Amino acid sequence: MIRLTGLTKRFPGRTVVANAVDGIDLEIAEGKLVTLLGPSGCGKTTTLRLIAGLERADAGAIELDGKIVSDPRNGVFAGAHRRPIGIVFQSYAIWPHMSVVQNVMFPLRVNKPRFRPAAARTKALAALDLVGLADLAERPAPALSGGQQQRVALARALVREPKVLLLDEPLSNLDAGLRDRMRDEIRAVQQRLGITTVFVTHDQDEALAVSDDVVVMNSGSIVERGRPQEIYARPQQEFTARFLGVSNTLTGVVTEVLDTGVCVQVGPGRLICSANAELSAGDTVSVFMRPESFGFSRKQHDAEAWKGTVEFSIYHGDCWDYYVRLGDDVVKVRVYKEKVGLAHGDPIFLQPEPEDAIVLPA
Ligand code: ADP
Ligand code: MG
């Protein structure tokens, strides 16, 4: 449904000459929701605006629904209104002088094919129904809450029945509690309509929760792509591991290659784990561990446990984070359901979960 080939965009007049979008190849199948996930400035918005036709690419082709809508080599460029897209921005961009239903009707009154007022109204009410706002159709738009305004923006993006929905950080302006609910509602509407969707976010939890596939971006390029469970548990790139909250890195050496994985010697001890890449004995590797990926005890029950001491601890209500010194390494360990936390200097024994370790060539 969406095919980007070598998509490249450079903004003129930048002191550091780098491409905002640097040769992106991406295909998105019909009906799928794919997230562009990456840090601020990595080119997510620019990619979305290129797909929308709000920005012109310097190189590379864009195909939507079987049609080339942009290809500088052939001078092809269809403007935003000629592409089968609906778009929602972070700032809801609601028109304050109009009612809710007038906001949603607007694209049907100004774009071709142009609808008569009664027909536009019927379609707008159907779109509002889809996002659960039919009851508020006659309200002045500014009278709505942030979450409701974002739903109006979604209804307005959907009212022309686009083939592709583009969402640029649609939840970032909402309060934390509302954000989760809106996220799930967007996913529900997307699945009900089966509409091909590109969802831009810098928030890893949001990306994992909402996507069929996650595309991790950095510096205008795609780092890797995968299903949420793969990207989270089995990232192929260090950048992805770090961006998805793997805060502990240990350097190690592969001592043995087994049928089921590898045996790795790291500073604090030994780990037998499945590897994310082809490795041989003697290879230097980075072992990434999430704070949640350790069992712990206050006494040594297991000879293989890693012995350490607590440097400091942080209380979060439902869990504690312990920063644990293991020789030259300090690892962060998250522990749930502990009433009394450990304090500076307390001994602690860690049992790393080998299944959770991510091993990549250093
Ligand atoms: P993201 O959405 O991932 O935060 P953007 O696509 O907005 O990233 O930006 C990518 C890069 O392009 C950044 O370095 C940004 O400063 C630059 N950029 C974006 N829009 C413009 C513009 N209109 N003019 C100049 N530089 C821009
Ligand atoms: Mg952006």
Side-chain angles (χ1 to χ4, degrees):
M1 175 59 74
I2 302 177
R3 181 179 287 131
L4 313 179
T5 324
L7 193 65
T8 301
K9 173 72 185 175
R10 188 156 84 211
F11 290 105
R14 301 184 69 203
T15 44
V16 183
V17 180
N19 291 331
V21 172
D22 195 16
I24 281 188
D25 296 319
L26 182 65
E27 284 189 32
I28 301 178
E30 183 163 2
K32 298 296 181 196
L33 188 156
V34 170
T35 303
L36 306 181
L37 171 69
S40 175
C42 73
K44 306 180 296 292
T45 294
T46 306
T47 304
L48 208 70
R49 290 174 59 85
L50 287 165
I51 298 171
L54 299 169
E55 212 71 76
R56 256 174 205 265
D58 293 307
I62 302 172
E63 189 182 316
L64 295 178
D65 193 21
K67 290 185 204 68
I68 304 282
V69 292
S70 172
D71 189 349
R73 283 175 311 184
N74 308 327
V76 175
F77 183 80
H81 62 284
R82 290 174 47 217
R83 299 190 187 187
I85 51 133
I87 187 161
V88 176
F89 302 100
Q90 175 178 349
S91 63
Y92 328 122
I94 291 294
W95 292 294
H97 57 284
M98 294 182 190
S99 72
V100 167
V101 69
Q102 284 168 339
N103 261 279
V104 179
M105 283 167 65
F106 192 76
L108 300 173
R109 299 283 293 140
V110 299
N111 293 307
K112 287 180 188 156
R114 195 165 289 152
F115 287 80
R116 294 179 169 280
R121 210 185 135 75
T122 305
K123 279 188 170 286
L125 288 171
L128 283 168
D129 196 34
L130 197 63
V131 299
L133 279 187
D135 293 349
L136 303 181
E138 304 306 332
R139 295 270 177 93
L144 269 52
S145 71
Q148 290 168 336
Q149 291 195 20
Q150 192 57 304
R151 268 180 240 176
V152 176
L154 183 59
R156 196 178 51 192
L158 293 170
V159 75
R160 290 173 68 206
E161 295 167 21
K163 295 277 202 309
V164 170
L165 180 62
L166 305 173
L167 306 168
D168 191 357
E169 313 243 6
L171 309 173
S172 299
N173 280 359
L174 304 176
D175 297 336
L178 190 57
R179 205 179 298 152
D180 286 3
R181 216 176 81 208
M182 271 305 287
R183 178 197 67 204
D184 297 350
E185 279 183 28
I186 286 177
R187 179 60 160 160
V189 169
Q190 183 268 330
Q191 293 201 318
R192 199 171 334 137
L193 296 177
I195 186 169
T196 313
T197 301
V198 186
F199 187 110
V200 161
T201 182
H202 64 273
D203 183 311
Q204 45 138 327
D205 294 336
E206 207 167 283
L208 294 173
V210 87
S211 315
D212 290 303
D213 266 1
V214 178
V215 172
V216 180
M217 288 183 67
N218 187 29
S219 309
S221 301
I222 292 177
V223 176
E224 67 178 301
R225 170 186 186 156
R227 296 181 343 114
Q229 307 90 297
E230 294 165 355
I231 287 281
Y232 184 81
R234 295 269 146 242
Q236 302 295 313
Q237 301 292 331
E238 176 170 349
F239 180 85
T240 308
R242 290 188 187 281
F243 197 73
L244 270 75
V246 182
S247 48
N248 299 312
T249 314
L250 299 166
T251 302
V253 175
V254 177
T255 54
E256 205 181 333
V257 179
L258 314 163
D259 288 346
T260 52
V262 288
C263 182
V264 179
Q265 183 71 40
V266 288
R270 230 163 52 103
L271 263 178
I272 292 169
C273 38
S274 53
N276 291 33
E278 281 293 312
L279 293 168
S280 0
D283 285 353
T284 306
V285 290
S286 297
V287 178
F288 301 97
M289 300 282 295
R290 290 204 160 76
E292 300 85 356
S293 299
F294 296 92
F296 93 107
S297 51
R298 296 171 188 229
K299 299 229 164 64
Q300 185 159 22
H301 303 299
D302 171 1
E304 292 261 316
W306 297 354
K307 182 181 192 312
T309 49
V310 174
E311 295 249 301
F312 62 100
S313 50
I314 291 176
Y315 182 56
H316 291 288
D318 60 341
C319 63
W320 291 83
D321 283 340
Y322 299 138
Y323 287 80
V324 177
R325 175 162 292 284
L326 303 150
D328 292 337
D329 295 301
V330 174
V331 297
K332 179 173 158 184
V333 179
R334 176 158 288 186
V335 174
Y336 289 87
K337 296 199 174 121
E338 274 280 291
K339 292 212 173 63
V340 183
L342 295 169
H344 175 77
D346 285 344
I348 182 170
F349 296 88
L350 302 180
Q351 291 103 24
E353 295 282 351
E355 281 308 307
D356 292 354
I358 297 159
V359 181
L360 294 171

